[in-house]
Amino acid sequence: MTMTETMKDAAGPGRGGRMSRQRKREAVLRLLRGEDLDTVSRSLGVTAATLSTWRDAFVTAGEASLATRPASGSWTWIMCWLCETAKGLYSCR
């Protein structure tokens, strides 16, 4: 298979050159499970730099979610409301 054929078969970005949040998440999870950056990049038709940016953002957001204190400011009440709505599945501490 030639490089042109490989690129034609790549699952590139959707409308307007954008990729959905779900597809980005799946791409990042592939990396975190050990797939090669260049392989995932080529299969999706995005640059390795873009894929690395998604991975870094994903890991940073995950790190923030491990904080033991609730977020301060105007978002605190929204988080508590979400906790209550989830019927006790999540703690609001």
Side-chain angles (χ1 to χ4, degrees):
M1 182 179 287
T2 67
M3 182 63 134
T4 306
E5 291 171 327
T6 302
M7 290 308 288
K8 266 197 274 183
D9 294 336
R15 267 183 317 183
R18 296 178 53 119
M19 192 171 293
S20 72
R21 180 178 54 220
Q22 292 82 7
R23 289 184 68 197
K24 289 177 183 178
R25 182 190 64 230
E26 289 305 315
V28 168
L29 290 175
R30 287 173 63 185
L31 292 176
L32 296 176
R33 290 180 185 128
E35 283 192 55
D36 180 62
L37 176 68
D38 290 329
T39 302
V40 176
S41 169
R42 278 193 300 274
S43 76
L44 296 173
V46 298
T47 66
T50 296
L51 196 50
S52 294
T53 300
W54 296 346
R55 181 196 56 214
D56 295 346
F58 187 89
V59 169
T60 299
E63 236 175 72
S65 73
L66 297 175
T68 56
R69 293 184 175 193
S72 61
S74 61
W75 289 101
T76 303
W77 72 269
I78 293 173
M79 290 177 62
C80 289
W81 177 81
L82 288 171
C83 291
E84 290 174 23
T85 304
K87 299 184 193 253
L89 293 175
Y90 301 98
S91 174
C92 212
R93 295 177 199 199

